[in-house]
Amino acid sequence: MPLVLDGTTGFNLPLGAEIGVGTNSPAGNGLHVDHTAGATLRLTRLGTSTSHFVQLETDGAHGTLRSEGDLTLDSDNGNWRLKDSGTSVFEISRDSNTSVNLYNAISDSDIIISKSNKTSPCLTLAPSFTYI
C-alpha cells in the first residue's frame, strides 16, 4: 500500500522503526534503500533546483558520496579518519587551532604523493624523515 501525503503533512515513526525502500524486509537501523541496479539516496533541498543535491550511492560493491556543490566534512572535535574495513589508515587533525596534522595510522609506512599516473612519486614522507 503506497503512502501518499498532501505535501503539507509530515509523519513520525515510532522509535526503532525501520523504513524499507525497494525492499519488503528492511534490515539495520533506520532507512534501508535497495535496488537491483544499485541503491541511490539523494537529498535535495525543497524549493531549489533539483541539480542542487548531495547523493550517496552504491552499486553493491563500491560507494560514492557526491555533491553538486562544495562537500564539507565538519568535525567538532577536530579529527577526520579514513578507514579500510574499520581500521584507521590516515587521519587529519587540528592541533589547538594552530596546526593541521596529517597522520599515517599504519605503523612504519610511508605517505606517498604521486602524479596523476600513480606510478611516479613526487614526494615520499618516510617514517624516518627529519622534522623541520
Side-chain angles (χ1 to χ4, degrees), residues 62-103:
H62 307 284
T64 302
L65 177 60
R66 182 175 147 220
S67 172
E68 287 301 307
D70 292 341
L71 184 61
T72 301
L73 302 176
D74 188 357
S75 172
D76 282 348
N77 70 353
N79 294 304
W80 300 267
R81 293 176 178 87
L82 300 175
K83 295 185 174 188
D84 182 20
S85 297
T87 301
S88 189
V89 294
F90 186 75
E91 298 177 12
I92 302 170
S93 64
R94 188 182 67 183
D95 180 13
S96 303
N97 293 322
T98 59
S99 300
V100 173
N101 301 296
L102 304 178
Y103 172 71

Side-chain angles (χ1 to χ4, degrees), residues 1 4 10 15 20 23 64 84 108:
M1 177 170 92
V4 179
L15 185 63
T23 178
T64 302
D84 182 20
D108 296 324

